[in-house]
Amino acid sequence: RSNFPFGDFDPVGVFCEDKVDGNILLDDYQYPVEFMQVNIRIVNDMNGPLPPEIGYLMDCRSLMLENHLRLTGPLPQTMGNMAGLFSVALLLNGPNFGGALPSSLFQLNYLNTIHIQDNLGKNWSLPTNAQVGDDTQLEQIVLVRNNFSGAIPSWIAKLEKLQTLDLSMNNFQGAIPEAIGDLSSVKYLNLLGNNLTGALPSSLGKLPAIEVLILGNNALQGELPASIGNLRTLQLLDVGSNELTSTIPPSFAKLESLKYLVLESNKFNGTVDALEPMKNLTILLTRSNSFSGALPDGLFSGTSDNVVVDIGDNKLTGELPTSFANMSNLVSLIGAKNSFVDSATMKDVCDNTTLLVMDCDACECCEVCCDGDDGVCDFQLDAYTLLGYDCGAWLKACMKDTEYFAGAGVY
């Protein structure tokens, strides 16, 4: 034990806990084991499929496998016998490891977390059908960058205690199931970077606890459902880089908690007037749409937090709101490739804004402006970096100080 870098407790390997004095090693045969954890994160020569006998580990609370490039095949269905399992984590494993997740996994009453991320296998999928246990405790499903394919199954909405569902950066296809609105406990829902198609289901407006809703970088079509305006707890909405059309529904004025809104790279039109009542809005990315009309005078007037805006490549007209001249918290404003009037930008905006990119004829005081040079005119903010999406459900803890936005989060 003296060789262990963490003293008597080394979190890597197989370790057990007893009812007498806590954690024990496998040579502590005199104590009965209450539960065990399998945590094999060190690169070794582990190869082949996981044996079905793993189901005999009924007292195993945690299973973590990381960096095993020679593992093969899917997870065995016998994992459904691991009655004490609380968490499963499979990270950075090899190209022949993967398959349909066993449906039996979702019948375990004590399972809290499934985390499968950055594996190289190409055959991952969710089971088409799964009988979810009546007493399911599953709170987190994180399946990020694994080449998961197939449809998002409707049965997932039966996970009544699910708080985090992150299926981002995979190859899921088809429509978002209407049943998704039945996830009554979900706070973080991320479907970014898949091949999802069809319309946004109106049932999204039934998510009573939702704080983060990320649906960007898919091929979604149709309108923004007015029902999304019912989401009073929503803080971040991203539907960027889809094929959505329509105006911003008037009901969005009721999104009283919304701080971050990403609508970029769609086919939206109409005004952005519905955003004016949003008193907590601090980041607005609407680049590459067909929004028109003038920006409302009260936009961003309700927040003292730093404000970051990219409204470039639209059809906006008029002058910038006079309130912008008094905003010491306007950190970044990208507004090039619009139809603002000449001299639409007040000098105080130039003086107060760290990063400012406008059309040259709309900004006499700009040090850098768009005059047809693609390097300036196409300058834009990157939502993925700006909003800390790499941090997953912990993005709020990872978001940079907004002064950072003046020189990064751009491409």
Side-chain angles (χ1 to χ4, degrees), residues 44-276:
N44 56 39
D45 199 34
M46 183 182 292
N47 61 82
L50 293 177
E53 287 80 9
I54 196 171
Y56 291 134
L57 300 178
M58 291 182 289
D59 294 323
C60 181
R61 179 166 293 184
S62 172
L63 174 64
M64 182 172 184
L65 301 174
E66 181 176 339
N67 265 314
H68 301 295
L69 298 181
R70 298 181 63 192
L71 282 177
T72 62
L75 301 179
Q77 279 284 350
T78 54
M79 287 185 67
N81 298 325
M82 301 173 72
L85 197 60
F86 181 83
S87 66
V88 176
L90 310 171
L91 313 174
L92 300 164
N93 293 296
N96 297 312
F97 182 56
L101 297 186
S103 57
S104 59
L105 197 62
F106 298 92
Q107 298 174 15
L108 294 172
N109 287 340
Y110 296 105
L111 187 62
N112 175 274
T113 302
I114 300 174
H115 187 176
I116 302 175
Q117 182 166 339
D118 291 317
N119 294 283
L120 300 177
K122 305 293 185 183
N123 299 314
W124 294 95
S125 64
L126 288 167
T128 303
N129 296 297
Q131 298 297 319
V132 176
D134 292 336
D135 298 323
T136 178
Q137 303 297 311
L138 197 55
E139 294 183 356
Q140 299 185 66
I141 298 179
V142 178
L143 313 176
V144 177
R145 289 189 296 270
N146 299 285
N147 289 297
F148 270 86
S149 60
I152 299 174
S154 295
W155 60 260
I156 210 164
K158 297 178 181 179
L159 300 170
E160 295 180 353
K161 296 187 178 180
L162 195 67
Q163 296 181 23
T164 296
L165 178 60
D166 190 345
L167 308 182
S168 60
M169 311 304 288
N170 284 290
N171 191 31
F172 284 106
Q173 299 111 18
I176 299 172
E178 186 72 29
I180 202 88
D182 294 334
L183 288 170
S184 57
S185 300
V186 73
K187 297 180 179 180
Y188 180 92
L189 175 57
N190 188 350
L191 306 180
L192 179 81
N194 283 281
N195 290 307
L196 298 172
T197 56
L200 293 175
S202 60
S203 63
L204 288 170
K206 295 166 50 182
L207 299 170
I210 193 72
E211 296 177 359
V212 175
L213 180 57
I214 304 174
L215 308 173
N217 290 84
N218 282 286
L220 298 166
Q221 300 174 328
E223 302 181 350
L224 278 174
S227 60
I228 290 179
N230 298 326
L231 303 178
R232 301 301 176 86
T233 59
L234 188 64
Q235 297 180 33
L236 188 159
L237 174 63
D238 180 355
V239 295
S241 299
N242 280 288
E243 300 171 16
L244 297 170
T245 57
S246 77
T247 59
I248 299 174
S251 61
F252 272 41
K254 298 185 295 183
L255 294 173
E256 57 195 33
S257 299
L258 195 69
K259 296 180 179 180
Y260 319 116
L261 178 60
V262 183
L263 304 177
E264 63 188 11
S265 300
N266 279 284
K267 301 175 183 178
F268 292 122
N269 58 77
T271 72
V272 295
D273 291 351
L275 308 183
E276 185 175 13

Side-chain angles (χ1 to χ4, degrees), residues 254-391:
K254 298 185 295 183
L255 294 173
E256 57 195 33
S257 299
L258 195 69
K259 296 180 179 180
Y260 319 116
L261 178 60
V262 183
L263 304 177
E264 63 188 11
S265 300
N266 279 284
K267 301 175 183 178
F268 292 122
N269 58 77
T271 72
V272 295
D273 291 351
L275 308 183
E276 185 175 13
M278 296 181 182
K279 300 306 181 184
N280 290 299
L281 189 64
T282 59
I283 294 180
L284 175 63
L285 307 179
T286 66
R287 186 180 188 84
S288 298
N289 283 285
S290 295
F291 287 117
S292 58
L295 295 175
D297 286 336
L299 192 62
F300 306 114
S301 63
T303 182
S304 59
D305 293 338
N306 286 352
V307 172
V308 177
V309 186
D310 188 345
I311 51 176
D313 193 14
N314 280 281
K315 299 177 181 179
L316 297 169
T317 58
E319 297 181 344
L320 294 181
T322 55
S323 58
F324 280 22
N326 301 317
M327 288 177 59
S328 59
N329 57 332
L330 182 58
V331 175
S332 301
L333 173 58
I334 315 298
K337 299 177 73 172
N338 276 288
S339 300
F340 292 115
V341 300
D342 291 351
S343 302
T345 309
M346 292 72 75
K347 186 177 184 302
D348 286 343
V349 175
C350 288
D351 293 340
N352 294 335
T353 307
T354 307
L355 175 61
L356 177 63
V357 181
M358 298 287 291
D359 294 316
C360 290
D361 57 1
C363 188
E364 293 180 354
C365 57
C366 285
E367 294 182 4
V368 178
C369 58
C370 168
D371 62 356
D373 177 8
D374 288 342
V376 175
C377 298
D378 293 333
F379 186 82
Q380 59 186 294
L381 300 177
D382 176 18
Y384 192 91
T385 303
L386 194 66
L387 293 168
Y389 286 173
D390 255 347
C391 295

